[in-house]
Amino acid sequence: MSRRHLSASPSPRPAKRAKIEHLTKEDFKNGLFLAPMVRSGALPTRLFALTHGATLVWGPEIVDKAILHGTRNVDPTTGVVSYDGKSRAIFTTHPIEKPYLIYQIGSSDPELAVQAAKTVMQDVSGIDLNCGCPKPFSTHSGMGAALLSNPDLLCSILTALRDAMPPEITVSAKIRLLQTQEETLKLVERIVNTGVSALTVHCRTRNMRDRDVATIERLREIKEFVDGMGRGIAVIENGDCLGFEDAKRVKEVTGADSVMIARAAEANPSCFSPTPLVDVGETLMPDYLRLSKYLGNHWALTKFCVSQFKGAHVKTTKRIENDVRGQVVNSKGYEHLGAIIGEATGEEVFQEIVKAIEGRLPRGHVQEEESEGGLVTPSNTQNPEPPTLKAPRISDFSRLMPAMITGQDPLTPTPSMIVF
């Protein structure tokens, strides 16, 4: 009897790529976040922040009615998603940042807030309600910090958002402290009961400004109060955090789950790294300009952001940094910056950023996928160090996200910058 021929074993099929789940409450814990900032929170800044270790990034506050009048366009070359108004983009993003992107809404109307959230939800991972902006453009319409005086409206907007959004879209809020701790705790209790996934507390009252020292010591009682409610809500500190190392101090003082950074990130978006960029006139400004040009970032936004950049000087002098800044401030467009940008298109910078962001396991929530050989679970291994962009980055990409990160920063106060 002839023996049955056994064919050689086929080569094992490559494991399917791990599917990344949507954001959960846990993703707002143990993190360092980029705060929502008008102008300073532009797409290039968010991408640099993610490259250098930011866990999640908040976009700038966009008023509900504004985004409803925008037209969504996708650049076929760069992939940039732009919600365009009549004369300029209202909001821009890119799919590479979607798993980490929280969109902040300015609203005083539950229905309009829901419409605005539905307009952008395909491009973001979470919706945040601005309840802290003290600027007249926001408060005169009952938005921002005005909501602190109208908790019924504030909570009705959050409830409407949570009811309308699919479960994969988180809903959160960012508030300021009220005058008394008792008032603050009452408001926090109501907000938590709306079903939010996270609560950011800017540790200043409505009447305080950035030059006033944030009262971060008040947050510990708020954090303990929220924990006592048993809902697992992350409490995020915002106010006077200088960067990665300083976040340790802030967390120790406040007990916060995470920290959010504003002004330090405005001055240096690599502050989320334990080794932030130095000599920014050579290591940050040129690449930021190249990236902004490639992504089509509005020149006025780019000029403003670059004008705020500051950092320590190690191999260069402050004069070099000031020279670059001066050329940018005095220029009318990217075409006048050949001496700084060179012949590069900015695509190389963008591709390095893409590799850096894709090179880490975003958030650590990994879903097993079915393959012919059964369930395949991606191994939790260290990823190769991504290209450098002339700067050090977080190397432990196997972590959920950088562990000790978040806060706001009192660096280089900018009167025109709005921090919510």
Side-chain angles (χ1 to χ4, degrees):
M1 183 174 66
S2 62
R3 298 182 64 183
R4 183 178 179 182
H5 177 69
L6 299 177
S7 60
S9 297
S11 301
R13 293 188 178 186
K16 289 188 177 181
R17 185 175 183 178
K19 182 186 292 185
I20 302 166
E21 293 180 347
H22 55 76
L23 286 175
T24 71
K25 295 176 183 177
E26 296 303 309
D27 294 310
F28 291 90
K29 299 177 181 179
N30 298 316
L32 194 55
F33 306 147
L34 175 68
M37 295 182 287
V38 171
R39 294 199 288 178
S40 295
L43 174 59
T45 298
R46 301 197 303 269
L47 293 180
F48 269 93
L50 286 170
T51 302
H52 293 282
T55 314
L56 299 174
V57 292
W58 268 243
E61 179 202 22
I62 306 293
V63 174
D64 49 18
K65 292 181 181 179
I67 202 68
L68 294 179
H69 292 99
T71 301
R72 184 180 186 274
N73 295 304
V74 180
D75 188 296
T77 301
T78 63
V80 168
V81 178
S82 180
Y83 290 83
D84 296 323
K86 291 182 179 180
S87 60
R88 60 186 293 180
I90 301 166
F91 175 68
T92 59
T93 181
H94 191 280
I96 191 64
E97 70 167 346
K98 178 181 177 180
Y100 316 94
L101 177 61
I102 308 298
Y103 179 88
Q104 192 182 68
I105 290 177
S107 182
S108 59
D109 185 299
E111 183 177 344
L112 287 176
V114 167
Q115 291 178 26
K118 288 182 176 179
T119 298
V120 301
M121 68 181 187
Q122 63 183 310
D123 296 310
V124 305
S125 287
I127 302 294
D128 187 75
L129 178 64
N130 183 326
C131 312
C133 178
K135 299 297 182 180
F137 85 86
S138 186
T139 58
H140 90 281
S141 299
M143 301 182 296
L147 291 173
L148 299 175
S149 303
N150 193 346
D152 290 338
L153 177 58
L154 189 164
C155 292
S156 68
I157 296 173
L158 290 174
T159 299
L161 286 169
R162 184 62 282 166
D163 290 344
M165 290 294 97
E168 63 269 20
I169 300 292
T170 62
V171 174
S172 57
K174 188 170 187 289
I175 67 170
R176 285 185 175 233
L177 295 170
L178 299 181
Q179 288 299 323
T180 70
Q181 196 76 333
E182 181 181 4
E183 291 176 309
T184 304
L185 292 175
K186 287 181 180 179
L187 177 62
V188 166
E189 181 178 20
R190 293 192 62 179
I191 291 174
V192 170
N193 284 330
T194 64
V196 293
S197 297
L199 173 66
T200 302
V201 181
H202 185 165
C203 296
R204 291 182 173 88
T205 63
R206 175 176 176 175
N207 295 326
M208 293 174 69
R209 292 297 178 260
D210 294 337
R211 63 180 176 272
D212 301 317
V213 177
T215 54
I216 66 173
E217 63 278 358
R218 286 183 58 180
L219 189 63
R220 180 168 288 278
E221 184 180 1
I222 297 171
K223 162 64 175 167
E224 293 172 351
F225 178 81
V226 172
D227 286 348
M229 295 181 68
R231 292 179 176 267
I233 302 300
V235 175
I236 304 163
E237 190 277 343
N238 180 216
D240 287 355
C241 178
L242 298 174
F244 180 90
E245 291 298 330
D246 194 43
K248 300 174 184 178
R249 172 191 64 86
V250 173
K251 293 191 72 173
E252 182 177 355
V253 172
T254 65
D257 292 296
S258 295
V259 185
M260 180 178 281
I261 301 179
R263 281 180 292 162
E266 179 191 47
N268 189 341
S270 70
C271 70
F272 302 93
S273 168
T275 51
L277 286 169
V278 296
D279 301 322
V280 297
E282 291 187 349
T283 62
L284 175 61
M285 291 179 178
D287 277 344
Y288 190 96
L289 290 165
R290 295 179 186 112
L291 177 68
S292 298
K293 179 181 179 181
Y294 177 71
L295 297 179
N297 196 50
H298 194 279
W299 169 244
L301 285 177
T302 301
K303 176 188 286 192
F304 175 80
C305 290
V306 173
S307 70
Q308 307 308 308
F309 291 158
K310 294 178 176 63
H313 303 100
V314 178
K315 296 181 179 180
T316 65
T317 64
K318 187 175 182 179
R319 179 179 177 180
I320 293 177
E321 179 183 309
N322 288 339
D323 285 346
V324 175
R325 185 181 295 108
Q327 291 181 59
V328 172
V329 170
N330 293 320
S331 295
K332 296 183 178 180
Y334 296 106
E335 64 275 12
H336 301 117
L337 296 174
I340 300 173
I341 297 177
E343 299 298 323
T345 64
E347 183 177 5
E348 298 89 346
V349 178
F350 177 68
Q351 291 304 325
E352 289 186 13
I353 286 175
V354 169
K355 291 177 182 178
I357 296 175
E358 289 184 339
R360 67 184 186 179
L361 288 179
R363 302 193 302 272
H365 287 285
V366 180
Q367 177 178 315
E368 295 178 338
E369 284 197 346
E370 195 78 36
S371 71
E372 288 192 0
L375 290 175
V376 177
T377 304
S379 59
N380 191 28
T381 57
Q382 179 82 5
N383 286 295
E385 184 76 18
T388 65
L389 267 184
K390 305 189 188 80
R393 304 187 185 91
I394 300 295
S395 59
D396 185 9
F397 294 115
S398 63
R399 290 293 304 272
L400 162 82
M401 291 221 186
M404 291 293 300
I405 330 180
T406 350
Q408 188 176 305
D409 341 321
L411 276 184
T412 60
T414 307
S416 57
M417 186 194 77
I418 305 173
V419 179
F420 299 134

